[in-house]
Amino acid sequence: MRHGGDLSDAIARFGGSRADWLDLSTGINPHAWAIPERIETRFWTDLPSADDLTGLLDSARRAYRVPASLGVMAAPGTQVILPLLPRLAPDGPVAIVGPTYSSHGDAWRAAGRTVVDIPTAYDAPEDTRVLVLVNPNNPDGRMLSPAALMDLARQMQARGGLLIVDEAFSDVVPGLSLLPHLGDEPVLVLRSFGKFFGLAGLRLGFLAGRPDLTDKAAGMLESWAVSGPALAVGQAALSDLAWQDAMRRQLADEMADLTLALSMAGLTVFGGTALYALAGLRKAEAMHAALARRHIWTRRFDHSPTWLRFGLPGSPAALTRLSTALADAMAEI
């Protein structure tokens, strides 16, 4: 599975319609921010305006606590930003802390860079000038504190290098983001909108960091890269700080329930965030298939065949369905 979230393969292999499936293969919030019933017609009919883009970036700056000295740019999803990063970074190999989201390595290899896979940020070769990590890491949820990241940033600065931190899941961990602590260090931070707000189909993401780098990245995109509806919805959602605080509490409660259900079924939960749980099971591949036969789709990993990742079911009924399926599947395998 290259990515989660596409039921096409599951339906082709195991049957059923999309409505039959419980998709737990992503780390996307099942409780989406409520899109207004009416979005101004101009956001659909007019070309996106510079003022609306500025409004979106201002909202992102407040929500992500980005200092005024840093730059922020928006794109139609952080996936679009990944291929731009090699053009912003110093020459040479890039060290990536893994295992992690595979598209990071893919983007650098596609740009002709040598990728060095390292188990922790402290295992990078001493001459490393480009260091990439995901915080919290996907899929195991490992985290580095802002203080530790600042030490790494200063190391990269001394080498004339660049630190890239993907904070795609940091919305659910208050105080984890590196952004409020940054000054002129050579750091770029990726922020994903769709995961926490449950609106992955909107396609919106951000890059924040040194203004010369974010301005250069913005210049690499075509005009009107972010659609009018994304500008409108993104600005409104990012400005809804009360919803964000309440959602963090709700997700933490639901993850506690999911962790208990997985543990009671005999799986060992050893990682994750408030949006997904990473569990270990010797027969993980067989469990993945057994759940799929019950139209429950989970995320498995070729590099770690004993791992399964479970997104939040999203309701008590869905959690009960999962618990029943886990018990039946465990007896089957």
Side-chain angles (χ1 to χ4, degrees), residues 64 133-136 149 165-171 176-180 189-192:
Y64 299 142
L133 58 90
V134 180
N135 195 51
L149 291 171
V165 182
D166 183 345
E167 294 188 346
F169 290 98
S170 66
D171 298 78
L176 183 66
S177 177
L178 179 59
L179 284 168
V189 177
L190 292 151
R191 295 295 299 239
S192 173

Side-chain angles (χ1 to χ4, degrees), residues 123-145:
D123 293 303
E126 292 186 1
D127 60 349
T128 296
R129 297 177 64 211
V130 183
L131 175 61
V132 179
L133 58 90
V134 180
N135 195 51
N137 189 48
N138 177 18
D140 57 30
R142 286 180 294 164
M143 291 182 281
L144 283 177
S145 68

Side-chain angles (χ1 to χ4, degrees), residues 197-261:
F197 288 95
L199 297 171
L202 192 72
R203 307 311 303 140
L204 182 61
F206 300 91
L207 183 69
R210 247 178 35 195
D212 60 317
L213 297 177
T214 58
D215 288 349
K216 184 176 180 181
M220 295 175 188
L221 297 179
E222 297 295 333
S223 300
W224 312 298
V226 180
S227 71
L231 293 175
V233 173
Q235 179 176 351
L238 286 164
S239 299
D240 193 349
L241 301 181
W243 181 91
Q244 295 169 44
D245 289 340
M247 183 52 60
R248 290 186 184 98
R249 294 190 292 269
Q250 180 177 344
L251 293 174
D253 289 344
E254 292 189 17
M255 181 49 63
D257 293 339
L258 174 59
T259 299
L260 178 61

Side-chain angles (χ1 to χ4, degrees), residues 13 28 35 57 65 68 77 112 154 237 279 281 291:
R13 292 169 57 193
I28 297 168
I35 297 175
L57 296 179
R65 300 170 58 206
R154 285 187 280 268
L281 182 69
L291 290 174

Side-chain angles (χ1 to χ4, degrees), residues 16-327:
S17 66
R18 186 169 294 271
D20 298 326
W21 282 81
L22 177 60
D23 186 3
L24 307 181
S25 67
T26 76
I28 297 168
N29 185 354
H31 310 290
W33 183 82
I35 297 175
E37 292 185 6
R38 174 171 165 76
I39 297 174
E40 285 185 62
T41 302
R42 69 178 181 86
F43 286 108
W44 299 98
T45 61
D46 297 355
L47 287 171
S49 75
D51 286 346
D52 290 324
L53 176 58
T54 298
L56 171 70
L57 296 179
D58 288 345
S59 295
R61 188 180 290 277
R62 288 190 295 271
Y64 299 142
R65 300 170 58 206
V66 182
S69 61
L70 300 185
V72 184
M73 60 83 70
T78 52
Q79 196 75 20
V80 171
I81 299 174
L82 298 186
L84 309 181
L85 297 177
R87 298 162 63 184
L88 304 173
D91 293 335
V94 54
I96 300 180
V97 180
T100 193
Y101 185 57
S102 61
S103 291
H104 281 289
D106 293 343
W108 290 92
R109 294 185 187 95
R113 297 293 190 98
T114 299
V115 172
V116 180
D117 296 311
I118 55 176
T120 77
Y122 304 106
D123 293 303
E126 292 186 1
D127 60 349
T128 296
R129 297 177 64 211
V130 183
L131 175 61
V132 179
L133 58 90
V134 180
N135 195 51
N137 189 48
N138 177 18
D140 57 30
R142 286 180 294 164
M143 291 182 281
L144 283 177
S145 68
L149 291 171
M150 287 301 297
D151 285 342
L152 292 170
R154 285 187 280 268
Q155 290 179 28
M156 291 297 106
Q157 189 169 36
R159 301 174 189 176
L162 178 66
L163 173 65
I164 298 171
V165 182
D166 183 345
E167 294 188 346
F169 290 98
S170 66
D171 298 78
V172 297
V173 190
L176 183 66
S177 177
L178 179 59
L179 284 168
H181 306 274
L182 287 174
D184 63 352
E185 295 82 7
V187 178
L188 288 172
V189 177
L190 292 151
R191 295 295 299 239
S192 173
F193 173 84
K195 296 178 178 64
F196 177 61
F197 288 95
L199 297 171
L202 192 72
R203 307 311 303 140
L204 182 61
F206 300 91
L207 183 69
R210 247 178 35 195
D212 60 317
L213 297 177
T214 58
D215 288 349
K216 184 176 180 181
M220 295 175 188
L221 297 179
E222 297 295 333
S223 300
W224 312 298
V226 180
S227 71
L231 293 175
V233 173
Q235 179 176 351
L238 286 164
S239 299
D240 193 349
L241 301 181
W243 181 91
Q244 295 169 44
D245 289 340
M247 183 52 60
R248 290 186 184 98
R249 294 190 292 269
Q250 180 177 344
L251 293 174
D253 289 344
E254 292 189 17
M255 181 49 63
D257 293 339
L258 174 59
T259 299
L260 178 61
L262 294 173
S263 299
M264 290 181 66
L267 287 79
T268 301
V269 178
F270 64 94
T273 69
L275 285 171
Y276 58 83
L278 184 64
L281 182 69
R282 184 170 60 86
K283 296 183 178 180
E285 292 189 42
M287 174 62 77
H288 173 80
L291 290 174
R293 287 191 288 274
R294 292 160 175 83
H295 293 168
I296 296 177
W297 198 228
T298 56
R299 177 78 162 89
R300 64 180 180 84
F301 301 90
D302 293 338
H303 58 70
S304 300
T306 60
W307 291 7
L308 278 182
R309 197 184 70 183
F310 295 79
L312 290 172
S315 71
L319 181 62
T320 298
R321 176 183 172 184
L322 173 62
S323 297
T324 300
L326 284 168

